[in-house]
Amino acid sequence: MDSTCVTTPFGRRAMSFGVLATQFAAQKARKVEAVDKWKLYRSVCEARPLLGVTDRSLAVLNALLSFYPKNELSSEAGLVVFPSNTQLSLRAHGMAEQTLRRHLSALVEAGLIIRKDSPNGKRYARKHRGGEISEAYGFSLAPLLARKTEIEDLAERIIRERLDLQRLRESISLCRRDIQKLCDMIAARGDLKTFERFQTRYNAIANSLGRNSKPAELNEIAGFLASLRAEVTNYLENIEKSEKMGGNDCQNERLIKNSESESISERPDLREAVIVAPASTAIAQPAYVPPVSTTSSPPSPKPVLHKQFFVPDIVLVLKACPDISLYAPGGAVTGWRDLEVATSVIRTMFNISQSAYQEALTTFGRQGTAAILACLLQKADQISSLGGYLRNLTRKAKDGGFEVQTMLLAQLRGRQDRREAAVAG
């Protein structure tokens, strides 16, 4: 390390290890290629939160860069500027001298500039007879050039985080708009009970959204909103399918009636009238009429309407059955898709047969079956066969003796009671 490049401050200012480290790092600027000073300044402005400087300090740095004669910072041309406080204050938008000194110290502490004080503390430059500067005393911009790569990386990180946060907030806004408008559709149909259920959940999630929420909190809120939107969309899709199937049923009945009337009118043997003989003669035998079968034809099968399943609250499922998150992708459940992936792992792990699982799907639906499997996992140590237990619950549900919501609430109360008992003990 070249010790001649180390300089100490003039007067009462003390030397610190931070300033010394900055001077050692600035010696690397000799090996760095020239860089546009204003592009580098924009990167410093982007990386300001991570560099620990204020916008006023950046205004002073901008003024210092304006005193550098060339547009590119290069160690070959020298990196020391030596403006007076008066001239520096004018280019810093008339900043007071005491404030100017404070921000200059902040730039030195942040490692963006170095003081190169003269023997008497003044800022000036000595020139050769040819007019070239031989030695200058003032502020060295060498740390900026030496930290070019670091500053650009910090700026890129800040920009990336800002764009990610912007996209996350946009997705939350779109999700909120979708949920509101879809809930309005449910209310317009007159299904106020379902509307209030969805609206209550939406309000609880929206109230947790703050103006200064951190990205981790926003990610969690976005997951809850996406899950709620999926449930509302699924509910409306089931309604649309039911109405479509009902409309097809009525249309099929009209087509059957029309086809029957046309076939009867077109058959000549059924259109023949019975000939009645005069009173004086015997009654003539009618033409041959085909025998009418007394056995009624089997009724045509009606289309089965799409069954609407109860969709439990995924937040309630996760509170009552937290162990299911261990089997989700990434160790966290952000929506029904993650929960279904986790339950598929549970099916394989506990050897639940396909027939028992399919019967549960027919009775409870995908979301309901996933919630039941999450509850069974939570108390798997108390159940000898999860497949048999699932069949038993399906049989009870068909008889009206079991509800998914009741099971979730009982599981949640049991966890709370055990927690309170552990605290009391």
Side-chain angles (χ1 to χ4, degrees), residues 130-150:
E132 298 178 354
I133 297 176
S134 62
E135 190 71 33
Y137 298 99
F139 296 101
S140 174
L141 303 175
L144 277 178
L145 189 60
R147 298 178 64 184
K148 168 184 172 294
T149 304
E150 176 193 355

Side-chain angles (χ1 to χ4, degrees), residues 182-423:
L182 293 176
C183 286
D184 291 342
M185 289 179 58
I186 297 175
R189 292 186 72 258
D191 194 354
L192 298 180
K193 185 176 180 181
T194 305
F195 166 76
E196 291 177 357
R197 178 165 59 88
F198 285 136
Q199 191 68 32
T200 301
R201 288 180 55 192
Y202 168 77
N203 292 336
I205 298 173
N207 290 337
S208 63
L209 182 63
R211 178 174 298 180
N212 298 322
S213 298
K214 297 181 179 179
E217 298 174 351
L218 292 177
N219 273 318
E220 185 178 4
I221 292 173
F224 287 143
L225 287 173
S227 174
L228 180 58
R229 180 175 60 180
E231 294 180 28
V232 177
T233 304
N234 186 37
Y235 177 80
L236 291 173
E237 183 183 4
N238 291 337
I239 293 177
E240 190 270 338
K241 288 182 179 179
S242 301
E243 292 179 351
K244 185 176 180 180
M245 295 299 291
N248 291 340
D249 189 17
C250 297
Q251 185 178 2
N252 291 339
E253 290 180 357
R254 288 196 298 270
L255 291 175
I256 292 173
K257 290 181 180 179
N258 293 337
S259 62
E260 287 179 351
S261 61
E262 290 175 0
S263 62
I264 292 175
S265 62
E266 290 174 359
R267 288 179 58 182
D269 53 345
L270 296 181
R271 198 172 59 231
E272 290 183 356
V274 178
I275 302 175
V276 181
S280 59
T281 61
I283 299 175
Q285 295 294 330
Y288 172 75
V289 179
V292 180
S293 175
T294 58
T295 60
S296 60
S297 59
S300 58
K302 294 185 178 180
V304 179
L305 299 180
H306 191 80
K307 185 176 180 181
Q308 298 181 14
F309 299 106
F310 169 73
V311 179
D313 188 351
I314 192 171
V315 179
L316 175 61
V317 175
L318 296 178
K319 286 184 177 180
C321 315
D323 292 353
I324 193 67
S325 300
L326 301 176
Y327 302 91
V333 175
T334 60
W336 281 111
R337 185 179 299 275
D338 293 342
L339 190 62
E340 291 173 12
V341 171
T343 53
S344 65
V345 177
I346 299 304
R347 282 179 50 207
T348 306
M349 187 170 64
F350 289 96
N351 295 324
I352 298 177
S353 64
Q354 180 63 27
S355 59
Y357 181 72
Q358 192 62 39
E359 189 177 359
L361 285 179
T362 307
T363 306
F364 304 108
R366 292 186 296 107
Q367 290 87 352
T369 304
I372 292 175
L373 289 177
C375 286
L376 296 185
L377 172 67
Q378 199 65 33
K379 51 182 181 179
D381 55 344
Q382 306 173 11
I383 302 174
S384 59
S385 173
L386 264 67
Y389 202 94
L390 182 61
R391 284 186 185 276
N392 188 27
L393 293 180
T394 305
R395 193 178 304 112
K396 286 184 178 180
K398 290 180 179 179
D399 298 337
F402 172 75
E403 291 182 355
V404 179
Q405 184 76 1
T406 305
M407 183 180 189
L408 290 173
L409 293 176
Q411 179 68 24
L412 181 61
R413 284 195 300 268
R415 292 192 72 249
Q416 292 175 349
D417 293 342
R418 287 190 295 273
R419 190 182 300 113
E420 292 176 358
V423 172

Side-chain angles (χ1 to χ4, degrees), residues 28-156:
K28 300 178 182 178
R30 299 177 181 179
K31 304 178 182 179
V32 179
E33 297 180 357
V35 61
D36 188 297
K37 62 180 180 180
W38 298 121
K39 288 184 179 179
L40 185 57
Y41 175 73
R42 283 193 291 271
S43 298
V44 173
C45 292
E46 289 288 353
R48 180 180 63 83
L50 298 180
L51 292 174
V53 292
T54 63
D55 53 348
R56 301 293 300 277
S57 298
L58 292 181
V60 176
L61 180 61
N62 179 74
L64 287 173
L65 288 172
S66 68
F67 284 101
Y68 190 76
K70 296 186 178 181
N71 197 40
E72 290 186 345
L73 293 178
S74 175
S75 58
E76 297 178 358
L79 294 170
V80 178
V81 292
F82 42 90
S84 65
N85 284 346
T86 303
Q87 294 299 320
L88 192 57
S89 175
L90 289 176
R91 296 199 186 184
H93 313 292
M95 185 179 295
E97 186 173 349
Q98 291 182 349
T99 307
L100 182 66
R101 291 174 179 172
R102 186 171 68 251
H103 290 298
L104 286 171
S105 299
L107 292 173
V108 172
E109 292 176 1
L112 298 178
I113 62 174
I114 296 175
R115 292 182 186 273
K116 188 176 181 182
D117 291 343
S118 64
N120 61 0
K122 302 295 183 180
R123 301 171 199 151
Y124 59 88
R126 294 191 181 277
K127 299 183 179 180
H128 294 294
R129 290 184 178 181
E132 298 178 354
I133 297 176
S134 62
E135 190 71 33
Y137 298 99
F139 296 101
S140 174
L141 303 175
L144 277 178
L145 189 60
R147 298 178 64 184
K148 168 184 172 294
T149 304
E150 176 193 355
I151 292 173
E152 290 177 348
D153 291 343
L154 292 176
E156 183 65 26

